[in-house]
Structure formats: structure tokens, C-alpha cells
Amino acid sequence: KESAWARLNYYNHHIGDYARDTAHLTMLEDAAYRRMLDLYYAAEKPLPLNIDGLCRLVRALRRMYFG
């Protein structure tokens, strides 16, 4: 019988690399980007191209970024 742990998605998160590569982002941009990374790896498929749908998934308000 397969354990529940075997089904969990996993990716390496290198804190130093992430901090270096995202230092230019605001706190809100960083949060949205991190949520998109988590969604991408959890679903193991591309993120939706629909901006409204993607904003909903990352719990962002469209007007915050797209007017």
C-alpha cells in the first residue's frame, strides 16, 4: 500500500537563490510569485492563461496589477 507521503508533490526551495533572484520584487509581488510557484508544482501543469482566473487562484485582486 502506497503511503500518503509518497503522493505529496515536492520541489527543492533554495532559500539563498530565491532571495537573490527575487530581491527586486515588492512584498506583494513576491507573495504572488511564490503562490504561483506552489500552484504550478502542486498541479504539475501550466498555470491558467486567464488573468482573472490566475488572480483568483493566488488570491490577488486584478486591479492591483492590471488597473
Side-chain angles (χ1 to χ4, degrees):
K1 180 178 173 182
E2 182 181 34
S3 76
W5 291 107
R7 294 187 305 272
L8 292 179
N9 295 335
Y10 172 85
Y11 68 95
N12 286 320
H13 179 72
H14 300 282
I15 296 168
D17 293 343
Y18 182 87
R20 181 194 65 231
D21 295 342
T22 60
H24 65 285
L25 299 177
T26 67
M27 184 171 51
L28 287 175
E29 290 168 337
D30 180 52
Y33 180 60
R34 182 59 198 263
R35 286 180 181 176
M36 286 187 274
L37 284 174
D38 288 347
L39 287 169
Y40 174 77
Y41 284 107
E44 297 182 340
K45 62 182 181 180
L47 297 172
L49 296 176
N50 175 288
I51 296 298
D52 290 323
L54 183 56
C55 285
R56 181 68 186 130
L57 287 173
V58 298
R59 292 173 277 163
L61 301 175
R62 180 183 170 93
R63 69 179 175 271
M64 291 172 66
Y65 294 103
F66 301 101

